[in-house]
Amino acid sequence: MSCHIYIARHGESQWNAEGKVQGVTDIPLNQKGIEQAHVLAKKIKEEKIPIDMILHSPLCRAAETARIIAEENGLPLALESRLIEQNFGEFEGHEWQKHPGVFFEAKKQFACDYKGGESMLRMAQRVYNLIDELKARSSAEDKTFLLVTHGGFVRMFHSYFFSETNEEFASSGIANCEVREYKF
């Protein structure tokens, strides 16, 4: 019976390189991001990470990362729309350096929807429901999944497994093409 799940963030996009908030803005991988995806695919193969299926976000930066990993490891791939990044509303395209701390502070306001985006509370419901489903599916099907998604999603995913303060939650992150294992 499978008792763990893997999660990875997509490779670098141009907006990552420019220090911009992406959210649901569909920005593709840049050349470095494509290279990072190939490195992650190789790591999965070399370390024999036991993945049975890859689920990915519909946004192109995650979908392309997942496709590269799947092709290089001969793994089945499926779209999971709930893996999409959080909609950061007015902060989409926001440049970190021009307004230091503004977005960081906004991430601590769990009921705030960023003027038309998705609140942390709504995102938590989406993420936690998906985790509960994948936990049951993993057990029933004896499958280990790799989720290829986004930094904000991974932050919320992590909070399902570990208690954090608002400050810790808002400041946590994951590098492009980093993979993490979580146990149910």
Side-chain angles (χ1 to χ4, degrees):
M1 174 172 76
S2 184
C3 63
H4 55 270
I5 190 166
Y6 294 90
I7 192 164
R9 183 178 177 203
H10 59 80
E12 184 182 86
S13 72
Q14 191 57 40
W15 277 21
N16 288 139
E18 294 172 2
K20 292 182 179 179
V21 177
Q22 293 175 101
V24 295
T25 305
D26 206 4
I27 308 298
L29 296 176
N30 61 19
Q31 188 57 43
K32 181 178 178 182
I34 293 168
E35 292 166 9
Q36 289 171 327
H38 286 288
V39 169
L40 177 55
K42 184 178 178 183
K43 174 183 176 156
I44 288 168
K45 184 179 282 183
E46 288 176 353
E47 294 183 11
K48 296 179 173 58
I49 296 176
I51 297 166
D52 298 303
M53 182 172 200
I54 299 173
L55 303 176
H56 67 86
S57 159
L59 297 176
C60 64
R61 59 191 182 268
E64 179 67 5
T65 301
R67 184 194 62 75
I68 290 168
I69 296 166
E71 284 180 2
E72 292 185 23
N73 286 279
L75 294 168
L77 181 66
L79 171 69
E80 172 49 69
S81 61
R82 292 172 291 180
L83 290 171
I84 196 166
E85 177 62 293
Q86 183 174 6
N87 182 335
F88 292 116
E90 68 179 328
F91 288 104
E92 302 261 334
H94 171 87
E95 294 181 51
W96 297 91
Q97 300 297 350
K98 288 186 179 178
H99 309 282
V102 174
F103 183 56
F104 175 77
E105 289 303 316
K107 287 191 296 184
K108 293 191 235 175
Q109 308 306 313
F110 283 57
C112 174
D113 72 357
Y114 311 106
K115 295 185 181 172
E118 180 183 27
S119 72
M120 291 289 181
L121 293 174
R122 291 187 191 277
M123 183 182 191
Q125 180 182 17
R126 170 169 59 94
V127 173
Y128 289 10
N129 287 347
L130 177 60
I131 294 170
D132 287 340
E133 286 179 29
L134 290 175
K135 181 179 178 182
R137 188 173 164 197
S138 183
S139 178
E141 298 174 22
D142 194 27
K143 281 189 178 174
T144 300
F145 297 98
L146 168 64
L147 311 180
V148 180
T149 186
H150 310 273
F153 187 98
V154 173
R155 181 181 307 108
M156 190 61 71
F157 186 91
H158 184 81
S159 76
Y160 179 95
F161 294 90
F162 299 97
S163 295
E164 299 174 294
T165 65
N166 285 354
E167 185 80 17
E168 290 167 333
F169 175 85
S171 63
S172 67
I174 183 171
N176 291 107
C177 280
E178 179 181 342
V179 64
R180 294 180 182 169
E181 177 184 9
Y182 290 85
K183 296 186 189 279
F184 292 124

